[in-house]
Each structure stands twice: as structure tokens, then as C-alpha cells.
Amino acid sequence: MKRFLTGLGLTFMTAVMCLGLFTPLSAAANVWSRYSINPKSDLFSVWGKAISATQSDTFVVGSGGSVWHYDGGVWQSMNSGVKQTLYGVWGFSGDDVYAVGANGTLLHYDGTLWNSISLGISNHLFGVWGSAPNSVFVVGTNGAIWHFDGATWINITGSNRKHLQAVWGTSSDNVFAVGADGIILQYNGNYWTILNSATTNDLTSVWGSSVDNIFAVGIAGTIVHYDGTSWKQMTSENNKDLRQLWGNDDIVFAVGVDGTVLEYQGTSWSSMTSNVGKNLNGLWGFTPENLIAVGIDSIMANYDGDDWSTTSYSVKDNLTSIYGFSSSEIFATSVNGSVLSYDSTRWTETPVTSNRALHGICGTNGTNIYAVGDNGAIAHFNGVDWSIIESPTTKNLLAVWAYSTYVYAVGSDGTIIQYDGYTWEKKESSTAVDILAIWGLTSSNVYAVGKNGLILHHDGIEWKSMNSPTSRDLYAVWGSSANDIFAAGMNGTILHFDGSSWSTMASGTSSDFTALWGFAFNNVDMADAYGNIRHYDGSTWTDMKSNNSVALSSIWGDSASNIYAVGNNGTCLNFAPEPDTPTTTTTTTSPATSSPSTTTSASPNTTNITKGLDSGEITLIVTGIVIAGIVVWIFIRSRKQRR
């Protein structure tokens, strides 16, 4: 019998220990990882002007009305005010830039805003160029040509009706336009003349260094050269479509599909290794040792005189709030007035307000979303487009919450506005202090918090002040039920409402808490101004080790294993199961004139063993060891008794 018990004990011990050792091999841990938000757009044109050795004004335009600006340090998205695809950009200085695009789109940037100019046409406009601020040309489909004389835009379309793709000149009375079927037009200041181009292939770009040294490129690797008298074909080993030209007196570059880059140094064209596998549509250079090419999927390639390196635009603006409805419907706002949306595959960026920061976003579903911001800004998304809504206030709106047909927004100086499904109107708050956050359960049970420990409650009829156990500023509020609500703020302040009264909680830190989100009374996450995230399990708050030191402003998740936090400098963190394969850290070089900027993806991960054991696994192993000790003791004792 003793032998039987001994064998049974040894078997049990072995099974327990194997289970304990096997568990960390099969279970994946949840971790916070940081990655850059890289919105995707197809880019078609780039133009820039050097200001100094370290500063520049570089503009890139593309699909969906996207415009990006580079100042020599960082790229920033700009609000063009249009949704039409932009195909061309040209300027004279950082405050005098033109962009053209689909359906007659013509824009001018004055250093502050992009303003739309109506030509009263529906032609797609592809090219823009000027010799001076009072002599600008644009060209497009059906032979469209327009000229700006500094005061008025004049239609100077000739008899040609072929699509024109590009325009360039040496002066206002020596301008060339190129396009479909090899068409080349020359303008002498009075009229346009059709020239013999020596090709019938579509031409897409024209550029030159002087009146007798002009190049044009097009499909199937077409290159033609003008010596001041006639156009002649040039040969190269490339037969892929070419899209854009740029050069100086000594060297010329051309870019095209599949990352094609050609170089001409006075005798012949040769291919360059671009390290780009995507179509390049635009090209600009400050010097032959400082080029930038742009293309589809937001690709940017920079040439430093030796090698081409690739990068893509990443958001560096402070992100102010995040909200969503599922892992494929996530929205975030930024201080530059943009809304970023994520569909589980890619981020896109939509400029919504011009020079007005957005601070809050919320909605009832993916086709009914509201964003609010400075000077009373209210924007609505219907699932297709964002539109600006007339606001009943000019005060800064700092947060928004929606339920059914009701929407509430709060802001500076005690501002509260409400939408009932029909109209927006101001509501009496009985306070003059800033209201910083809002959250609710229903339209008749809403909470708002703010400066000096302010806590307000809305019962569906009026807003009333609640007794607050703190005088510190409160920045966030969230709850799981009517008797389980949290508020957080300055110096580690955490409050809890049990349905009857508010009381303080021990947070274990003195950080300023900026955001709250959760899924149940025992599953709440909180972010702070130092980039930390703390988790509440129903009894204590503990550090989640976010591996981040950048201030966070908002947190949201669609499940306990898929949570996002956003903050300053484009910071985006994701809490999710650890991937099975390691990710890597990549370094990208900003184009134009700047020093490199670094884009970091999720930190490299090793296997689950190297992550260590969690408390449950440790307990299991210790239990196995204890049982093993008992079994060994029984075995030894039985041996002694037999003797």
C-alpha cells in the first residue's frame, strides 16, 4: 500500500511540475508596445525652397487633398480645405505656394491658410509653374491652360485639346507645356505653338537649365531633349514610365514607376539604385546632393549625394484624445486640427479644422462621431466626410461625450453645450472654472470634472455640483456602473464614487493622471503626464510598465487585451498579446535638409520564457516543489520502516 501511495505521489508531483514548467512556454503575455502612426496617402508632387543650411519650406501634395509641410525639422500635415486629389505644387516662398488637382482644384497658400481659387472649370489640373508671383501657369485636361498676372486668372487655352500634364519655362515668355501623345507646346508671351516632339508617347514632365537645354520625359522610358532649335529623342536602358524631372546645369534626375531613378551627367542616362519598390511621382532638389522623391503609400526617398534612403511621414503632433467602436474603427485627434482613423490595417489622416486644435472625440457608432476643440470648434463625421458644425460658443471645448441622439461638450470657463438631436445650445453649469472631462451612463446620468476638484452631475434636466473630497484639478472621469465611477487628476489624485458619495483612493504615486478607461470595476487603466500607465484590479493600483516616458493624454480600448493610449509627439501605445515573432526598430532619415529622425516600432520581443513567470505560474511551481518534498519524505520514511 505504501509503495502504491509513494508511486502515486511521485506521479502527481511530476505532472504538477511539468505543468508549471510548460505553462510559460504556451501562454503569451500582454505587453505595451509603442509605434509610430504613419498615415497613408498617394503623393504626386513636391516643391521646396531652402531658407538656411538647416531650414527649408518643403510642400508635398497628394490624394484626398493631403498637403504636408517640412520646415527642416519635422513634417506636419496641413489642412488644404479640399478632398480632391492634388497633382501639382509650386511656389516662390513659404508664404506663396500654389497647388492644383482634380476637378479644377486650384489652391493658394499665403503662409497661414490654403485658400481655394475658383476657375469655374471641371478639368483636372496636373501642372503648375511660375516665373514670378505675377506670372503663374496651370495646365490640365483637354488642353486647359490658365495664367495668373498677379491680379486675375485668365484662360489662355489654345486650339490644342490634348491633355497637358506639366508646365515649365525659363521666363514668362518662354514656357513649355507637355502632355498626351507627345504634345509639346511653347508659349512666347503672346500665343502657343505646337512643336515637333520627336515622340508620340505621353509626356509627363518638362524641365530645363536654360533655353537650349530642356528635357521632357514620359511613358515607356521616353526622354526627349531640346537644344534651342529642335527636340530629339534620347536613349537609356530604362523602359519604365517616368513621372518627374529635376536638375541643375551639371546633372539631371528622373523618377518613375517601381522606384525607377535615372541620372544624366551630360553624356548618357544611367540607372540608380533607389531602394524603393513603389511608384515615384514627384521629385525636387535643393542641390544634386539633397533630393526628395515622393510616391504612392506616402513613400518618400531622400538622396544625399551617395545613396537613396526611404522614409514615410509619421505624425509628430500632440495627440489629444482617442475613441473607437472596434479594433477596425478607431479615431484620434491632434492639436493641428486633424483626425486620424485606423481600420486595423492602416492609419489615415484627415485635416478637419484650420489652425484650431481638437481636444476631444466621441460618438455612438462609426457613422456618427463628434470632435471638439478650440474656439468652440465642433466637427461631425457621417461615415464618409467630416463637416464643421455651427457652434453656440467660442470658448475652447476640451471634451465630448455622446449617447443616443444626445451629445455633450464641456470646456473653458464652465462651458457646457448640448445637442439633443436637433440643435446645439449652451447649458448652465453654475461654475466659471474649466471643465476638463466628461463621461456618462445615459443622457440622464452624466458626470463632468474639472479644475479645483470640480465634479458636476447631470440628471437629464440640470447640472448640479457634487461634494468633492479634493481641491486638486481633475482631468479624467470614467465608470463601469452607477455605483462605480472613478475620477483622476493632479498629484496622484484618484476619487471613487460608490453611488452615494465620492471618496479618495490610494494611487501609490504623485503623478498627474490625465486619462481613464476600463472594462469593469476590477479592470481599469489610467495614464499620466509622465507616460506611465497604472492598472486597478479591484483592490490596488499597480504600474503596468508602459516603457514610455512621453506624456499621455487619452486611453481607450475595445477589449481588455486591445487598449490604446495616445499623447505628445504622436505617441501611440498599444496593449495587446505579445507577438510570437520579434519586431524590429527602424531608423528613418527625414528628407530635404534635416538631421535624421527616428521612427520606432514595437520593442523587440523574445520568447515568453525570457519574459519571466507570472504569479500564477510561480505559485504552481512552488506547489509542485512542496508536494515533491512531501512525497520524497514519505518514500524515505517508508524505506526506513521496512528496515
Side-chain angles (χ1 to χ4, degrees), residues 289-342:
E289 293 78 33
N290 190 0
L291 307 179
I292 175 175
V294 299
I296 64 172
D297 288 339
S298 302
I299 194 69
M300 297 183 185
N302 179 235
Y303 182 64
D304 62 6
D306 294 315
D307 299 298
W308 286 89
S309 58
T310 59
T311 185
S312 59
Y313 163 70
S314 61
V315 174
K316 297 299 182 184
D317 300 298
N318 292 347
L319 302 179
T320 53
S321 64
I322 186 168
Y323 194 83
F325 308 97
S326 69
S327 59
S328 60
E329 286 183 308
I330 302 174
F331 301 84
T333 57
S334 75
V335 293
N336 78 344
S338 292
V339 174
L340 297 133
S341 58
Y342 183 63

CSV table of all heavy atoms in Angstrom, one decimal, residues 289-342:
chain,number,residue,atom,x,y,z
A,289,GLU,N,23.0,67.0,-54.2
A,289,GLU,CA,23.3,66.1,-53.1
A,289,GLU,C,22.2,66.1,-52.1
A,289,GLU,O,22.3,65.7,-50.9
A,289,GLU,CB,24.6,66.5,-52.4
A,289,GLU,CG,25.8,66.3,-53.3
A,289,GLU,CD,26.0,67.4,-54.4
A,289,GLU,OE1,25.6,68.5,-54.1
A,289,GLU,OE2,26.5,67.0,-55.5
A,290,ASN,N,21.0,66.7,-52.4
A,290,ASN,CA,19.9,66.8,-51.5
A,290,ASN,C,18.6,66.8,-52.3
A,290,ASN,O,18.0,67.8,-52.6
A,290,ASN,CB,20.0,68.1,-50.6
A,290,ASN,CG,19.0,68.1,-49.5
A,290,ASN,OD1,18.2,67.2,-49.3
A,290,ASN,ND2,19.1,69.2,-48.7
A,291,LEU,N,18.1,65.6,-52.6
A,291,LEU,CA,16.9,65.4,-53.4
A,291,LEU,C,15.8,64.7,-52.5
A,291,LEU,O,16.1,64.0,-51.6
A,291,LEU,CB,17.2,64.5,-54.6
A,291,LEU,CG,18.3,64.9,-55.5
A,291,LEU,CD1,18.4,63.9,-56.7
A,291,LEU,CD2,18.1,66.3,-56.1
A,292,ILE,N,14.6,65.0,-52.9
A,292,ILE,CA,13.5,64.3,-52.3
A,292,ILE,C,12.5,63.8,-53.4
A,292,ILE,O,12.2,64.6,-54.3
A,292,ILE,CB,12.7,65.1,-51.2
A,292,ILE,CG1,11.5,64.4,-50.7
A,292,ILE,CG2,12.3,66.5,-51.8
A,292,ILE,CD1,10.8,65.1,-49.6
A,293,ALA,N,12.2,62.5,-53.4
A,293,ALA,CA,11.2,62.0,-54.3
A,293,ALA,C,10.0,61.4,-53.5
A,293,ALA,O,10.2,60.9,-52.4
A,293,ALA,CB,11.9,60.9,-55.1
A,294,VAL,N,8.8,61.6,-54.0
A,294,VAL,CA,7.6,61.1,-53.3
A,294,VAL,C,6.8,60.2,-54.2
A,294,VAL,O,6.9,60.3,-55.4
A,294,VAL,CB,6.8,62.3,-52.8
A,294,VAL,CG1,7.6,63.2,-51.9
A,294,VAL,CG2,6.3,63.1,-54.0
A,295,GLY,N,6.0,59.3,-53.6
A,295,GLY,CA,5.2,58.4,-54.4
A,295,GLY,C,4.0,57.8,-53.7
A,295,GLY,O,3.6,58.4,-52.7
A,296,ILE,N,3.6,56.7,-54.1
A,296,ILE,CA,2.4,56.1,-53.5
A,296,ILE,C,2.7,55.6,-52.1
A,296,ILE,O,3.8,55.4,-51.7
A,296,ILE,CB,1.9,54.9,-54.4
A,296,ILE,CG1,2.9,53.8,-54.5
A,296,ILE,CG2,1.6,55.4,-55.8
A,296,ILE,CD1,2.4,52.6,-55.2
A,297,ASP,N,1.6,55.4,-51.4
A,297,ASP,CA,1.6,54.9,-50.0
A,297,ASP,C,2.5,55.8,-49.1
A,297,ASP,O,3.2,55.2,-48.2
A,297,ASP,CB,2.1,53.5,-49.9
A,297,ASP,CG,1.1,52.5,-50.4
A,297,ASP,OD1,-0.1,52.9,-50.5
A,297,ASP,OD2,1.4,51.4,-50.8
A,298,SER,N,2.5,57.1,-49.4
A,298,SER,CA,3.2,58.0,-48.6
A,298,SER,C,4.8,57.8,-48.6
A,298,SER,O,5.5,58.3,-47.7
A,298,SER,CB,2.8,58.0,-47.1
A,298,SER,OG,1.4,58.2,-47.0
A,299,ILE,N,5.2,57.2,-49.6
A,299,ILE,CA,6.7,56.9,-49.7
A,299,ILE,C,7.4,58.2,-50.0
A,299,ILE,O,7.0,59.0,-50.8
A,299,ILE,CB,7.0,55.8,-50.8
A,299,ILE,CG1,8.4,55.3,-50.6
A,299,ILE,CG2,6.8,56.4,-52.2
A,299,ILE,CD1,8.6,54.5,-49.4
A,300,MET,N,8.6,58.3,-49.3
A,300,MET,CA,9.5,59.4,-49.5
A,300,MET,C,10.9,58.9,-49.6
A,300,MET,O,11.2,58.0,-48.9
A,300,MET,CB,9.4,60.5,-48.4
A,300,MET,CG,8.1,61.2,-48.2
A,300,MET,SD,8.2,62.4,-46.9
A,300,MET,CE,6.5,63.0,-46.9
A,301,ALA,N,11.6,59.3,-50.6
A,301,ALA,CA,13.0,58.9,-50.8
A,301,ALA,C,13.9,60.1,-50.8
A,301,ALA,O,13.6,61.1,-51.4
A,301,ALA,CB,13.2,58.1,-52.0
A,302,ASN,N,15.0,60.0,-50.1
A,302,ASN,CA,15.9,61.1,-50.0
A,302,ASN,C,17.3,60.7,-50.5
A,302,ASN,O,17.8,59.6,-50.1
A,302,ASN,CB,16.1,61.6,-48.5
A,302,ASN,CG,17.0,62.7,-48.3
A,302,ASN,OD1,17.9,62.6,-47.5
A,302,ASN,ND2,16.8,63.8,-49.0
A,303,TYR,N,17.9,61.6,-51.3
A,303,TYR,CA,19.2,61.3,-51.9
A,303,TYR,C,20.2,62.3,-51.3
A,303,TYR,O,20.0,63.5,-51.3
A,303,TYR,CB,19.2,61.5,-53.4
A,303,TYR,CG,20.5,61.2,-54.1
A,303,TYR,CD1,21.1,59.9,-54.0
A,303,TYR,CD2,21.2,62.1,-54.8
A,303,TYR,CE1,22.3,59.6,-54.6
A,303,TYR,CE2,22.4,61.9,-55.4
A,303,TYR,CZ,23.0,60.6,-55.3
A,303,TYR,OH,24.2,60.3,-55.9
A,304,ASP,N,21.3,61.8,-50.7
A,304,ASP,CA,22.3,62.6,-50.1
A,304,ASP,C,23.6,62.8,-50.9
A,304,ASP,O,24.6,63.3,-50.3
A,304,ASP,CB,22.6,62.1,-48.7
A,304,ASP,CG,23.3,60.7,-48.7
A,304,ASP,OD1,23.5,60.2,-49.9
A,304,ASP,OD2,23.5,60.1,-47.7
A,305,GLY,N,23.6,62.4,-52.1
A,305,GLY,CA,24.8,62.5,-53.0
A,305,GLY,C,25.5,61.2,-53.1
A,305,GLY,O,26.3,61.0,-54.0
A,306,ASP,N,25.2,60.2,-52.2
A,306,ASP,CA,25.8,58.9,-52.3
A,306,ASP,C,24.7,57.8,-52.4
A,306,ASP,O,24.8,57.0,-53.3
A,306,ASP,CB,26.6,58.6,-51.0
A,306,ASP,CG,27.8,59.5,-50.9
A,306,ASP,OD1,28.5,59.7,-51.9
A,306,ASP,OD2,28.1,60.1,-49.8
A,307,ASP,N,23.7,57.9,-51.6
A,307,ASP,CA,22.7,56.8,-51.5
A,307,ASP,C,21.3,57.4,-51.4
A,307,ASP,O,21.1,58.5,-50.9
A,307,ASP,CB,23.0,55.8,-50.4
A,307,ASP,CG,24.3,55.2,-50.5
A,307,ASP,OD1,24.5,54.4,-51.5
A,307,ASP,OD2,25.1,55.4,-49.6
A,308,TRP,N,20.3,56.6,-51.8
A,308,TRP,CA,18.9,56.9,-51.6
A,308,TRP,C,18.5,56.1,-50.4
A,308,TRP,O,18.8,55.0,-50.2
A,308,TRP,CB,18.1,56.4,-52.8
A,308,TRP,CG,18.2,57.3,-54.0
A,308,TRP,CD1,19.1,57.2,-55.0
A,308,TRP,CD2,17.4,58.4,-54.3
A,308,TRP,NE1,18.9,58.2,-56.0
A,308,TRP,CE2,17.9,59.0,-55.6
A,308,TRP,CE3,16.3,59.1,-53.7
A,308,TRP,CZ2,17.3,60.1,-56.2
A,308,TRP,CZ3,15.8,60.2,-54.3
A,308,TRP,CH2,16.2,60.7,-55.5
A,309,SER,N,17.7,56.8,-49.5
A,309,SER,CA,17.1,56.2,-48.3
A,309,SER,C,15.7,56.5,-48.3
A,309,SER,O,15.2,57.6,-48.8
A,309,SER,CB,17.8,56.7,-47.0
A,309,SER,OG,17.7,58.1,-46.9
A,310,THR,N,14.9,55.6,-47.8
A,310,THR,CA,13.4,55.8,-47.8
A,310,THR,C,12.9,56.0,-46.4
A,310,THR,O,13.4,55.6,-45.4
A,310,THR,CB,12.7,54.5,-48.4
A,310,THR,OG1,13.1,53.4,-47.6
A,310,THR,CG2,13.2,54.3,-49.8
A,311,THR,N,11.8,56.7,-46.4
A,311,THR,CA,11.1,57.0,-45.2
A,311,THR,C,9.6,57.3,-45.5
A,311,THR,O,9.2,57.2,-46.7
A,311,THR,CB,11.7,58.2,-44.5
A,311,THR,OG1,11.1,58.4,-43.2
A,311,THR,CG2,11.5,59.5,-45.3
A,312,SER,N,8.8,57.5,-44.5
A,312,SER,CA,7.4,57.9,-44.7
A,312,SER,C,7.0,58.9,-43.6
A,312,SER,O,7.6,58.9,-42.5
A,312,SER,CB,6.5,56.7,-44.7
A,312,SER,OG,6.6,56.0,-43.5
A,313,TYR,N,6.1,59.7,-43.9
A,313,TYR,CA,5.6,60.7,-43.0
A,313,TYR,C,5.0,60.0,-41.7
A,313,TYR,O,4.2,59.1,-41.8
A,313,TYR,CB,4.6,61.5,-43.6
A,313,TYR,CG,3.7,62.3,-42.7
A,313,TYR,CD1,4.2,63.4,-42.0
A,313,TYR,CD2,2.4,62.0,-42.5
A,313,TYR,CE1,3.5,64.2,-41.1
A,313,TYR,CE2,1.6,62.8,-41.7
A,313,TYR,CZ,2.1,63.8,-41.0
A,313,TYR,OH,1.4,64.6,-40.1
A,314,SER,N,5.4,60.4,-40.6
A,314,SER,CA,4.9,60.0,-39.3
A,314,SER,C,4.4,61.1,-38.5
A,314,SER,O,5.0,62.2,-38.5
A,314,SER,CB,5.9,59.1,-38.5
A,314,SER,OG,7.0,59.9,-38.1
A,315,VAL,N,3.3,61.0,-37.8
A,315,VAL,CA,2.6,62.0,-37.0
A,315,VAL,C,3.5,62.4,-35.9
A,315,VAL,O,3.9,61.5,-35.1
A,315,VAL,CB,1.3,61.6,-36.5
A,315,VAL,CG1,0.7,62.7,-35.6
A,315,VAL,CG2,0.3,61.3,-37.7
A,316,LYS,N,3.9,63.7,-35.7
A,316,LYS,CA,4.6,64.2,-34.6
A,316,LYS,C,3.9,65.2,-33.8
A,316,LYS,O,4.4,65.6,-32.7
A,316,LYS,CB,5.9,64.9,-35.1
A,316,LYS,CG,6.9,63.9,-35.9
A,316,LYS,CD,7.4,62.8,-35.0
A,316,LYS,CE,8.3,61.9,-35.7
A,316,LYS,NZ,8.7,60.7,-34.9
A,317,ASP,N,2.7,65.5,-34.2
A,317,ASP,CA,1.8,66.4,-33.4
A,317,ASP,C,1.4,65.8,-32.1
A,317,ASP,O,1.2,64.5,-32.1
A,317,ASP,CB,0.6,66.9,-34.2
A,317,ASP,CG,1.0,67.6,-35.5
A,317,ASP,OD1,1.6,68.6,-35.4
A,317,ASP,OD2,0.7,67.0,-36.6
A,318,ASN,N,1.1,66.6,-31.1
A,318,ASN,CA,0.5,66.0,-29.9
A,318,ASN,C,-0.9,65.5,-30.2
A,318,ASN,O,-1.7,66.2,-30.8
A,318,ASN,CB,0.4,67.1,-28.8
A,318,ASN,CG,1.8,67.6,-28.4
A,318,ASN,OD1,2.8,66.9,-28.6
A,318,ASN,ND2,1.8,68.7,-27.6
A,319,LEU,N,-1.1,64.3,-29.8
A,319,LEU,CA,-2.4,63.6,-29.9
A,319,LEU,C,-3.2,63.8,-28.6
A,319,LEU,O,-2.7,63.6,-27.5
A,319,LEU,CB,-2.3,62.1,-30.2
A,319,LEU,CG,-1.5,61.8,-31.5
A,319,LEU,CD1,-1.3,60.3,-31.7
A,319,LEU,CD2,-2.1,62.5,-32.7
A,320,THR,N,-4.5,64.3,-28.7
A,320,THR,CA,-5.2,64.8,-27.6
A,320,THR,C,-6.3,63.8,-27.1
A,320,THR,O,-6.6,63.8,-25.9
A,320,THR,CB,-5.8,66.1,-27.9
A,320,THR,OG1,-6.6,65.9,-29.1
A,320,THR,CG2,-4.8,67.2,-28.1
A,321,SER,N,-6.8,63.0,-27.9
A,321,SER,CA,-7.9,62.0,-27.5
A,321,SER,C,-8.0,60.9,-28.4
A,321,SER,O,-7.6,61.0,-29.6
A,321,SER,CB,-9.2,62.8,-27.3
A,321,SER,OG,-9.7,63.2,-28.6
A,322,ILE,N,-8.5,59.8,-27.9
A,322,ILE,CA,-8.7,58.6,-28.8
A,322,ILE,C,-10.0,57.9,-28.4
A,322,ILE,O,-10.4,57.9,-27.2
A,322,ILE,CB,-7.5,57.6,-28.7
A,322,ILE,CG1,-7.7,56.5,-29.7
A,322,ILE,CG2,-7.4,57.1,-27.2
A,322,ILE,CD1,-6.5,55.6,-29.8
A,323,TYR,N,-10.8,57.4,-29.4
A,323,TYR,CA,-12.0,56.8,-29.1
A,323,TYR,C,-12.3,55.9,-30.3
A,323,TYR,O,-11.9,56.1,-31.4
A,323,TYR,CB,-13.2,57.8,-28.9
A,323,TYR,CG,-14.4,57.2,-28.3
A,323,TYR,CD1,-14.6,57.1,-27.0
A,323,TYR,CD2,-15.5,56.8,-29.2
A,323,TYR,CE1,-15.7,56.5,-26.4
A,323,TYR,CE2,-16.6,56.2,-28.6
A,323,TYR,CZ,-16.7,56.1,-27.2
A,323,TYR,OH,-17.9,55.5,-26.7
A,324,GLY,N,-13.1,54.8,-30.0
A,324,GLY,CA,-13.4,53.9,-31.1
A,324,GLY,C,-14.6,53.0,-30.8
A,324,GLY,O,-15.2,53.2,-29.7
A,325,PHE,N,-14.9,52.1,-31.7
A,325,PHE,CA,-16.0,51.2,-31.6
A,325,PHE,C,-15.6,49.8,-31.8
A,325,PHE,O,-16.4,48.9,-31.4
A,325,PHE,CB,-17.1,51.6,-32.6
A,325,PHE,CG,-17.4,53.1,-32.5
A,325,PHE,CD1,-16.8,54.0,-33.4
A,325,PHE,CD2,-18.3,53.6,-31.6
A,325,PHE,CE1,-17.1,55.3,-33.3
A,325,PHE,CE2,-18.6,54.9,-31.5
A,325,PHE,CZ,-18.0,55.8,-32.4
A,326,SER,N,-14.5,49.5,-32.4
A,326,SER,CA,-13.9,48.2,-32.5
A,326,SER,C,-12.5,48.3,-32.9
A,326,SER,O,-12.0,49.5,-33.1
A,326,SER,CB,-14.7,47.4,-33.6
A,326,SER,OG,-14.4,48.0,-34.9
A,327,SER,N,-11.8,47.2,-33.1
A,327,SER,CA,-10.4,47.3,-33.5
A,327,SER,C,-10.2,47.8,-34.9
A,327,SER,O,-9.0,48.1,-35.3
A,327,SER,CB,-9.7,45.9,-33.4
A,327,SER,OG,-10.4,45.0,-34.2
A,328,SER,N,-11.2,47.9,-35.7
A,328,SER,CA,-11.1,48.4,-37.0
A,328,SER,C,-11.8,49.8,-37.2
A,328,SER,O,-12.0,50.3,-38.3
A,328,SER,CB,-11.7,47.4,-38.0
A,328,SER,OG,-13.1,47.2,-37.7
A,329,GLU,N,-12.3,50.4,-36.1
A,329,GLU,CA,-12.9,51.7,-36.1
A,329,GLU,C,-12.3,52.5,-34.9
A,329,GLU,O,-13.0,52.6,-33.9
A,329,GLU,CB,-14.4,51.6,-36.0
A,329,GLU,CG,-15.1,51.2,-37.3
A,329,GLU,CD,-16.6,51.2,-37.2
A,329,GLU,OE1,-17.1,50.6,-36.2
A,329,GLU,OE2,-17.2,51.8,-38.0
A,330,ILE,N,-11.2,53.1,-35.1
A,330,ILE,CA,-10.5,53.9,-34.0
A,330,ILE,C,-10.2,55.3,-34.6
A,330,ILE,O,-9.7,55.4,-35.7
A,330,ILE,CB,-9.2,53.2,-33.6
A,330,ILE,CG1,-9.5,51.7,-33.1
A,330,ILE,CG2,-8.5,54.0,-32.4
A,330,ILE,CD1,-8.3,50.9,-32.7
A,331,PHE,N,-10.4,56.3,-33.7
A,331,PHE,CA,-10.2,57.7,-34.1
A,331,PHE,C,-9.4,58.4,-33.1
A,331,PHE,O,-9.6,58.2,-31.9
A,331,PHE,CB,-11.6,58.4,-34.4
A,331,PHE,CG,-12.4,57.7,-35.4
A,331,PHE,CD1,-13.2,56.6,-35.1
A,331,PHE,CD2,-12.4,58.1,-36.7
A,331,PHE,CE1,-14.0,56.0,-36.0
A,331,PHE,CE2,-13.2,57.5,-37.7
A,331,PHE,CZ,-14.0,56.4,-37.3
A,332,ALA,N,-8.5,59.3,-33.5
A,332,ALA,CA,-7.7,60.1,-32.6
A,332,ALA,C,-7.7,61.5,-33.1
A,332,ALA,O,-7.7,61.7,-34.3
A,332,ALA,CB,-6.3,59.5,-32.4
A,333,THR,N,-7.6,62.5,-32.2
A,333,THR,CA,-7.5,63.9,-32.6
A,333,THR,C,-6.1,64.5,-32.3
A,333,THR,O,-5.4,63.9,-31.4
A,333,THR,CB,-8.6,64.7,-31.8
A,333,THR,OG1,-8.4,64.5,-30.4
A,333,THR,CG2,-9.9,64.3,-32.2
A,334,SER,N,-5.8,65.6,-32.9
A,334,SER,CA,-4.5,66.2,-32.7
A,334,SER,C,-4.6,67.7,-32.6
A,334,SER,O,-5.6,68.3,-32.9
A,334,SER,CB,-3.5,65.9,-33.9
A,334,SER,OG,-3.9,66.6,-35.1
A,335,VAL,N,-3.5,68.3,-32.1
A,335,VAL,CA,-3.5,69.7,-31.9
A,335,VAL,C,-3.5,70.5,-33.2
A,335,VAL,O,-3.7,71.7,-33.1
A,335,VAL,CB,-2.3,70.2,-31.0
A,335,VAL,CG1,-2.5,69.6,-29.6
A,335,VAL,CG2,-1.0,69.7,-31.6
A,336,ASN,N,-3.2,69.9,-34.3
A,336,ASN,CA,-3.2,70.6,-35.5
A,336,ASN,C,-4.5,70.6,-36.2
A,336,ASN,O,-4.7,71.0,-37.4
A,336,ASN,CB,-2.1,70.1,-36.5
A,336,ASN,CG,-2.4,68.8,-37.2
A,336,ASN,OD1,-3.3,68.1,-36.8
A,336,ASN,ND2,-1.7,68.5,-38.2
A,337,GLY,N,-5.6,70.0,-35.5
A,337,GLY,CA,-6.9,70.0,-36.1
A,337,GLY,C,-7.2,68.8,-37.0
A,337,GLY,O,-8.2,68.9,-37.7
A,338,SER,N,-6.4,67.8,-36.9
A,338,SER,CA,-6.6,66.6,-37.7
A,338,SER,C,-7.3,65.5,-36.9
A,338,SER,O,-7.2,65.4,-35.7
A,338,SER,CB,-5.3,66.1,-38.3
A,338,SER,OG,-4.7,67.0,-39.2
A,339,VAL,N,-8.0,64.6,-37.7
A,339,VAL,CA,-8.5,63.4,-37.1
A,339,VAL,C,-7.8,62.2,-37.8
A,339,VAL,O,-7.8,62.2,-39.0
A,339,VAL,CB,-10.0,63.3,-37.2
A,339,VAL,CG1,-10.5,61.9,-36.7
A,339,VAL,CG2,-10.7,64.4,-36.5
A,340,LEU,N,-7.2,61.3,-37.0
A,340,LEU,CA,-6.6,60.1,-37.5
A,340,LEU,C,-7.5,59.0,-37.3
A,340,LEU,O,-8.0,58.8,-36.2
A,340,LEU,CB,-5.2,59.9,-36.8
A,340,LEU,CG,-4.2,61.0,-37.0
A,340,LEU,CD1,-3.6,61.4,-35.7
A,340,LEU,CD2,-3.2,60.6,-38.0
A,341,SER,N,-7.7,58.1,-38.3
A,341,SER,CA,-8.5,57.0,-38.2
A,341,SER,C,-7.8,55.7,-38.6
A,341,SER,O,-6.9,55.7,-39.4
A,341,SER,CB,-9.8,57.1,-39.1
A,341,SER,OG,-9.3,57.3,-40.5
A,342,TYR,N,-8.1,54.6,-37.9
A,342,TYR,CA,-7.4,53.4,-38.1
A,342,TYR,C,-8.4,52.3,-38.4
A,342,TYR,O,-9.5,52.1,-37.7
A,342,TYR,CB,-6.7,53.0,-36.8
A,342,TYR,CG,-5.8,51.7,-36.8
A,342,TYR,CD1,-4.8,51.6,-37.7
A,342,TYR,CD2,-6.1,50.7,-36.0
A,342,TYR,CE1,-4.0,50.5,-37.8
A,342,TYR,CE2,-5.3,49.5,-36.1
A,342,TYR,CZ,-4.3,49.4,-37.0
A,342,TYR,OH,-3.5,48.3,-37.0
